[in-house]
């Protein structure tokens, strides 16, 4: 962007983009769940014993919150790389 040619800037922009994508996915989870769709990583859901149905039904139990926390933590890790 703006003619900047720097490998470090490209690397930072990549991590910022990944963090933003993860956050956008999390913010859209209630919207998609209301439409019977879940776009969260199933490996993390399975790790916490959460099914897609739990999101579709709007459950807010601890294990569902733990899935959200783990996914949000991945965004945080990308931001830490940028710093």
């Amino acid at each position: 962007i703006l003619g900047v040619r720097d490998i470090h800037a490209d690397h930072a922009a990549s991590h910022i983009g990944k963090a933003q994508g993860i956050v956008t996915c999390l913010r859209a989870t209630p919207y998609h769940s209301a439409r019977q769709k879940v776009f969260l990583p199933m490996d993390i859901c399975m790790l916490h014993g959460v099914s897609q149905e739990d999101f579709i039904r709007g459950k807010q139990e601890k294990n569902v919150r733990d899935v959200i926390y783990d996914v949000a933590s991945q965004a945080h890790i990308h931001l830490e790389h940028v710093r």
Side-chain angles (χ1 to χ4, degrees):
I1 207 166
L2 300 174
V4 174
R5 302 241 188 269
D6 180 45
I7 189 76
H8 300 294
D10 290 346
H11 189 73
S14 173
H15 281 291
I16 289 171
K18 290 172 188 172
Q20 184 177 15
I22 292 168
V23 169
T24 299
C25 181
L26 285 175
R27 290 182 65 210
T29 296
Y31 173 84
H32 291 298
S33 295
R35 285 150 185 80
Q36 313 275 314
K37 297 182 189 301
V38 179
F39 295 108
L40 296 172
M42 288 313 300
D43 58 335
I44 296 175
C45 291
M46 288 173 33
L47 179 70
H48 293 286
V50 176
S51 68
Q52 290 181 343
E53 192 67 28
D54 291 333
F55 284 99
I56 292 169
R57 290 185 182 180
K59 291 187 177 180
Q60 296 186 10
E61 297 168 356
K62 183 182 181 322
N63 58 347
V64 172
R65 291 191 312 268
D66 288 343
V67 169
I68 299 300
Y69 180 85
D70 282 359
V71 174
S73 293
Q74 292 300 311
H76 181 74
I77 289 168
H78 285 293
L79 290 179
E80 288 297 315
H81 284 299
V82 173
R83 290 185 184 125

